[in-house]
Amino acid sequence: MDLSKLNLVWDSALNFIEQRIADYNVFATFFKDTKLLAVEGDNAYIEVSSKFAKELIQSRYLDYITSALEEVTKKNYKGILKIKNEERDFTFSKDSNKSVFVSNINKGYTFDNFVVGPSNQEAHSASLTAALEPGQFYNPLFIYGKSGIGKTHLLHAIGNYVLVKNNKKDMNVYYTSSTDFLDDYMHSVRMGTIEDFKEKFKIVDVLLIDDIQFLSKKEKTSEMFFNIFNHLINNHKQIVITSDRSPNELRGLEERLVSRFTSGLSVIIQNPEYETSLLILKKKVELLDNLNKKIEDDVLSYVALKYSKDIRQLEGALNRLVFYADSFKKQTKVIDLELAKEALKGLVVNSNLESSTSLNPDKIKMSVADYYKLSVSQMVSSSRLSNITNARHIAMYLIRTLLDLPFVKIGEEFGGRDHSTVINACDKVERMLKTDTNFKQAVDDIKMMLK
C-alpha cells in the first residue's frame, strides 16, 4: 500500500473505532495521533504516541483495531504497535510477497549495562561467547533461574551484540517469549498461514526465546517448536533459551525436546549477592535522567542489602525512593538513610536483612551503624571520633563472635585494617561488657536487631 492508501484505510478504521469506544476522551487521548505505518503480510504496523498508549491499547483495544481493519479491508490483520520516534527494529520487505521480519530486540539491554558478579558471571560469559560466534559454541544455550534476575536482559544483549558490536547486520535475529510464540502459532493456524509461520523461522540465524516453561502441555505448539528447533540446529543457527528451572526439571514438555535442550550448555543465574546488587544500583543511578538529588552511599548499601534477592524489586525500591524524594521532599538536596527508610516503609521485603538465616558481615555492619545513627561508610572510615570508634569495635566483635570469621577477614571488611587491630577491638569490647552495663545493654539490643 502507498502512503495515501494507508491514510485512507486508517481514517476509515479510526471512524469505526471511535464509534465502538463511545468515549471521546479515550479516543482523543490514545487514538487521535495514531498512524498506519505499513501493511505487510498479515501484519498491520500502527504508530502510537507513547509507551503508556501502547500498553493501554495493547491490553484493552487491540481487538477494536483488528475488527476495524477487517471491516475496512475485508482482510484479517494482526495489529503491531510501535511507539512514535522509537528507533525501529524492523524493516519492510521490498518484495510484497515476502513477510516482514521483526527482530523485537530491546536496544536498552546490552552487555555494556549488564552488571557482572559471582551470581551471573558464568551465564554472562556463555552469552557473550554465543554472541561472538553464533551457532559455533554452546548450541543451544539454556539459561535458567528465578524470575527477575537478568535472563531477559542477557537475551536482548546477545541480539544487540550480534547486530551492532559483532557487525552481523545481515543476520536475522529474533526474540520472542514462549507465550508470544504460542499466540503467533495459533493465529497462523486460524488464518491458514502456517506455512508463512514456518518460513519466518527458517530464515532466523539467532533465535532467542524467553520462558520456555510456558510451552508445557501445549502439545501442538511444542511439536512445531521441536521442528523449528531441529531445523535451526541442523543448519548451525544459534538458539538461546531461558526458563525458571533447569531442563531436567521441566514438566509437561516432550522428553525429546528436553533432551535437545540438554545437548548444549545449561547455565544458572543465582540470586545476586550484596556486592552485585550494589553495583546494579550504582549503574541504575548513573542512568537516571531526572535525578536532581544526591543519594548517599549508605542509602545504596541499605537498599542493596534489603532487596538483593530480586533485581526487579531492587529497581522498584530505587524508583520508589526517587519518586518519594521528588514528590514529598522537594527542598531536600540529599537523600540520606533516614529519608530512605521513610520512603521504603511498608515496601514488601525479600532480603538478607530480613532473614535470620542469612546473617553476614554486611548485615551486622548495617545494624550497628543504624543503632548508632551512623552510615556504614562512616563506621569503616579512618575516623577516630569516639562514637564512631565505639560502633566500629562492636561491629568487629559481633562479626567475630556470631560468624567466627578470621581476624584477617574481619580487617578486610573494615577497609583493610590489620588483624591485630581487630584483636585489640574484640578484647576491648569483652572488657567493657564486664564493667559497663550501658555498653552491655547496647550490644544486647543490637543482637536482638539481628535476630
Side-chain angles (χ1 to χ4, degrees):
M1 277 186 206
D2 58 27
L3 185 59
S4 59
K5 182 74 176 294
L6 289 171
N7 290 338
L8 186 63
V9 167
W10 192 237
D11 286 343
S12 300
L14 285 177
N15 288 333
F16 183 85
I17 293 169
E18 184 176 12
Q19 291 173 18
R20 281 199 63 185
I21 291 178
D23 186 328
Y24 178 76
N25 288 325
V26 171
F27 179 81
T29 302
F30 299 110
F31 283 92
K32 197 170 183 181
D33 294 328
T34 56
K35 294 179 182 178
L36 181 59
L37 296 175
V39 173
E40 291 282 342
D42 295 328
N43 298 319
Y45 293 88
I46 299 141
E47 181 183 85
V48 297
S49 59
S50 66
K51 181 181 178 182
F52 180 69
K54 178 180 178 180
E55 291 174 351
L56 185 101
I57 294 172
Q58 193 92 41
S59 63
R60 299 189 63 177
Y61 300 112
L62 202 56
D63 287 345
Y64 288 30
I65 291 175
T66 302
S67 299
L69 288 173
E70 185 175 8
E71 177 73 19
V72 175
T73 66
K74 308 306 178 187
K75 293 181 181 179
N76 195 313
Y77 289 107
K78 179 182 178 181
I80 297 176
L81 306 180
K82 296 291 174 183
I83 301 170
K84 185 177 182 180
N85 297 327
E86 185 179 53
E87 187 177 352
R88 295 177 186 169
D89 55 4
F90 61 97
T91 55
F92 298 120
S93 169
K94 293 180 180 178
D95 184 348
S96 59
N97 294 321
K98 292 182 180 178
S99 59
V100 68
F101 188 85
V102 185
S103 70
N104 296 329
I105 296 298
N106 185 330
K107 293 176 174 59
Y109 291 139
T110 66
F111 285 120
D112 291 336
N113 60 26
F114 184 85
V115 177
V116 182
S119 59
N120 60 28
Q121 60 186 7
E122 186 181 12
H124 172 266
S125 177
S127 298
L128 185 55
T129 301
L132 279 166
E133 294 294 340
Q136 302 303 310
F137 305 100
Y138 311 146
N139 201 19
L141 174 58
F142 193 101
I143 305 171
Y144 66 97
K146 60 172 279 190
S147 176
I149 54 177
K151 301 188 300 295
T152 300
H153 188 139
L154 281 178
L155 286 183
H156 288 287
I158 291 169
N160 280 311
Y161 195 94
V162 170
L163 293 173
V164 181
K165 286 282 186 75
N166 213 12
N167 200 27
K168 295 184 180 293
K169 295 184 184 296
D170 57 328
M171 279 193 164
N172 288 326
V173 178
Y174 185 70
Y175 166 86
T176 184
S177 67
S178 62
T179 51
D180 285 343
F181 180 89
L182 173 62
D183 290 344
D184 290 345
Y185 171 67
M186 295 306 297
H187 178 77
S188 69
V189 171
R190 287 195 304 271
M191 300 303 300
T193 56
I194 194 68
E195 291 304 317
D196 292 341
F197 179 82
K198 292 179 185 177
E199 286 299 318
K200 178 174 74 171
F201 283 94
K202 281 184 180 179
I203 63 171
V204 169
D205 297 295
V206 179
L207 176 61
L208 310 164
I209 185 159
D210 216 352
D211 291 323
I212 198 67
Q213 71 272 9
F214 292 124
L215 287 189
S216 174
K217 297 181 181 178
K218 306 292 191 298
E219 293 183 9
K220 292 292 186 183
T221 310
S222 294
E223 183 178 351
M224 174 58 69
F225 183 74
F226 177 80
N227 293 330
I228 290 169
F229 182 98
N230 278 343
H231 172 81
L232 295 179
I233 290 292
N234 290 339
N235 285 277
H236 307 291
K237 308 300 184 183
Q238 181 68 53
I239 299 177
V240 186
I241 301 165
T242 71
S243 173
D244 65 353
R245 65 206 72 178
S246 70
N248 293 326
E249 294 175 315
L250 289 169
R251 300 291 180 264
L253 285 175
E254 288 187 62
E255 187 176 334
R256 60 178 182 165
L257 191 54
V258 173
S259 176
R260 296 295 194 281
F261 295 162
T262 58
S263 65
L265 175 68
S266 297
V267 291
I268 185 172
I269 299 183
Q270 305 277 9
N271 292 335
E273 55 289 306
Y274 164 77
E275 291 80 6
T276 304
S277 296
L278 185 58
L279 287 173
I280 291 170
L281 275 177
K282 288 180 177 179
K283 177 72 74 173
K284 295 295 180 185
V285 169
E286 288 175 10
L287 297 174
L288 286 175
D289 295 327
N290 59 340
L291 184 64
N292 55 9
K293 303 178 191 298
K294 180 181 183 299
I295 302 179
E296 292 186 343
D297 287 343
D298 56 319
V299 171
L300 296 180
S301 298
Y302 176 78
V303 175
L305 195 60
K306 241 175 120 63
Y307 303 97
S308 64
K309 285 192 175 180
D310 188 322
I311 294 173
R312 288 175 188 160
Q313 194 179 57
L314 197 68
E315 293 175 346
L318 178 62
N319 290 337
R320 180 185 175 99
L321 178 61
V322 173
F323 168 78
Y324 185 89
D326 285 343
S327 300
F328 304 109
K329 303 289 182 179
K330 294 182 187 293
Q331 305 305 317
T332 303
K333 299 299 181 184
V334 177
I335 299 176
D336 58 17
L337 191 57
E338 184 179 353
L339 193 157
K341 289 181 177 181
E342 183 181 333
L344 299 174
K345 184 171 57 180
L347 196 64
V348 176
V349 176
N350 179 19
S351 71
N352 292 335
L353 192 63
E354 301 298 311
S355 172
S356 61
T357 62
S358 58
L359 192 61
N360 56 56
D362 291 312
K363 180 175 178 179
I364 292 173
K365 286 189 288 185
M366 180 68 76
S367 297
V368 175
D370 191 26
Y371 185 85
Y372 282 102
K373 302 288 190 293
L374 300 170
S375 68
V376 173
S377 57
Q378 282 178 306
M379 196 169 63
V380 302
S381 71
S382 58
S383 174
R384 293 181 177 275
L385 292 174
S386 59
N387 63 324
I388 295 177
T389 302
N390 192 45
R392 185 188 303 133
H393 289 171
I394 291 174
M396 289 177 173
Y397 169 80
L398 290 175
I399 291 173
R400 174 63 180 174
T401 56
L402 298 178
L403 300 179
D404 196 28
L405 255 63
F407 291 117
V408 173
K409 178 65 176 173
I410 297 173
E412 292 173 359
E413 292 286 341
F414 288 83
R417 283 176 166 80
D418 188 77
H419 72 283
S420 60
T421 302
V422 181
I423 293 172
N424 291 334
C426 292
D427 288 345
K428 181 178 180 181
V429 170
E430 286 183 346
R431 289 196 302 271
M432 291 186 68
L433 286 173
K434 295 174 183 177
T435 60
D436 190 329
T437 55
N438 290 332
F439 184 86
K440 183 177 185 303
Q441 184 62 53
V443 173
D444 289 342
D445 289 343
I446 295 169
K447 285 182 177 180
M448 287 297 296
M449 290 170 61
L450 293 167
K451 289 184 177 180

